[in-house]
Amino acid sequence: IMKEPKEKHRSFGSVIRIIVLIVALGVFCYAGWQLYLIYHGYAAAGSEYDNLKNEFTTPNSGADTSSDEASDSSPDGSAAASSEGGDSSSADETVSWPAIEDAEPPVDVDWNDLKSINPDIVGWLYIDAEDNISYPICKGTDNSYYLHHTFRKEALFAGSIFMDYNNSGEFTDPNTVIYGHNMKNGSMFGMLKFIKGQKKYDSDPYFWILTPKGNYRYHIYAAFDTAVDSDTYTLFSANGPEFLAWEQKMQGKSEVANSVPLTADDKTVTLSTCTSDSSTRCVILGKCVSTAKPVKS
């Protein structure tokens, strides 16, 4: 008579142990599946983007990206940008760059092939100091689709480099925002954070936006980490004093020292990627310094 409660207790304990074991096994399987998806995503992204430059771009034989032949004038026609505060130059040294009218993009893009694959492609991004960042730029009808779809519109965790859907696809807005994943293997915007280093910035503070209508060179004037909901992502309806004040505020936050001159008529592109902190983003801002500026149709 006295043994029955013990047997019931043992039976109940066995059930609990089985449930715990099943839950632990489920967690283990889920974690393993997530690791597989991450690995598969990186492998698929590598397969998708590794030969991208070779497939859709060719080196521009007229381009000269060597700083050895830099002229004494800056890309903005002003004094050369100061490198004070950097880890590769003293406060008294300056870095000189080729005049903007002499600049040529490092690559030419096959727009016919790209547009036949996806008409949502609005440009091509090429960063001089991190030339593995060379990708087509997509623009969707929201900021979700290309977060996890390739430029071929195929589902993939790595997604695409894409423009904020509220921006003009012609890069004519005062501030155009472009997003990309911070991939741990260095692809997409995985290398963007290194431009926040003064030495890397001084090596070549430019990036390019190539489009079917023209090629535009941008001089980086700010690089820093910011809150995901900060005013860095402000989109302006028109240029003017308010926009210039915003530019100057962004330059004041920069982790790289520079003296890039700013004006109320500038066209800025903001490159944005995530960091290890989900509430923080890494941003790189550049102003268009091409002789020919983006113009609305």
Side-chain angles (χ1 to χ4, degrees):
I1 295 174
M2 298 299 294
K3 291 183 178 180
E4 187 175 349
K6 290 184 177 181
E7 289 175 354
K8 288 183 179 180
H9 177 73
R10 289 171 183 170
S11 177
F12 180 74
S14 297
V15 171
I16 293 297
R17 284 193 293 272
I18 291 172
I19 292 174
V20 171
L21 180 61
I22 291 173
V23 171
L25 183 61
V27 171
F28 177 80
C29 291
Y30 177 77
W33 176 247
Q34 292 300 309
L35 287 173
Y36 167 77
L37 289 178
I38 292 173
Y39 174 79
H40 178 72
Y42 279 123
S47 176
E48 179 75 14
Y49 290 110
D50 274 352
N51 296 315
L52 200 59
K53 283 194 293 185
N54 294 334
E55 186 175 358
F56 296 107
T57 70
T58 54
N60 184 346
S61 59
D64 178 15
T65 59
S66 171
S67 61
D68 294 336
E69 298 181 18
S71 69
D72 292 333
S73 61
S74 80
D76 302 282
S78 61
S82 170
S83 60
E84 60 180 317
D87 51 9
S88 62
S89 306
S90 69
D92 295 326
E93 293 177 325
T94 58
V95 178
S96 298
W97 299 100
I100 49 171
E101 54 266 30
D102 299 329
E104 291 288 340
V107 296
D108 291 319
V109 179
D110 187 337
W111 291 112
N112 289 332
D113 275 2
L114 272 177
K115 285 290 191 178
S116 67
I117 290 173
N118 184 358
D120 286 350
I121 297 172
V122 294
W124 188 285
L125 171 67
Y126 184 98
I127 298 183
D128 294 304
E130 293 288 353
D131 61 3
N132 66 312
I133 302 181
S134 181
Y135 295 101
I137 305 166
C138 298
K139 180 179 182 289
T141 56
D142 55 45
N143 285 341
S144 299
Y145 183 80
Y146 284 109
L147 194 63
H148 298 302
H149 285 82
T150 72
F151 72 100
R152 300 180 193 273
K153 294 191 172 184
E154 298 172 352
L156 185 66
F157 170 78
S160 302
I161 304 301
F162 65 97
M163 177 190 290
D164 193 297
Y165 80 102
N166 293 295
N167 278 128
S168 163
E170 297 177 328
F171 299 90
T172 53
D173 291 332
N175 180 30
T176 299
V177 181
I178 297 176
Y179 306 97
H181 280 295
N182 177 13
M183 301 296 284
K184 292 182 179 179
N185 65 354
S187 62
M188 308 306 284
F189 276 178
M191 306 295 285
L192 198 65
K193 57 184 175 287
F194 293 112
I195 298 175
K196 293 187 300 177
Q198 191 73 45
K199 185 175 181 179
K200 174 63 72 173
Y201 173 84
D202 288 342
S203 71
D204 202 325
Y206 296 96
F207 62 84
W208 290 86
I209 300 290
L210 313 178
T211 79
K213 293 184 177 181
N215 302 320
Y216 311 119
R217 194 185 194 200
Y218 292 77
H219 196 170
I220 299 170
Y221 66 86
F224 56 93
D225 287 350
T226 190
V228 66
D229 57 352
S230 77
D231 59 354
T232 304
Y233 299 96
T234 302
L235 302 182
F236 296 85
S237 59
N239 286 87
E242 183 182 358
F243 171 68
L244 175 57
W246 174 87
E247 278 189 302
Q248 292 169 337
K249 181 179 180 180
M250 297 302 106
Q251 190 175 43
K253 294 181 178 181
S254 180
E255 295 179 28
V256 292
N258 68 88
S259 58
V260 178
L262 303 172
T263 72
D265 295 326
D266 286 335
K267 303 298 183 186
T268 285
V269 165
T270 298
L271 309 178
S272 174
T273 192
C274 57
T275 67
S276 56
D277 181 348
S278 62
S279 65
T280 302
R281 298 291 182 265
C282 169
V283 292
I284 306 297
L285 289 76
K287 57 168 283 185
C288 184
V289 292
S290 296
T291 304
K293 301 292 195 298
V295 178
K296 290 183 179 179
S297 298

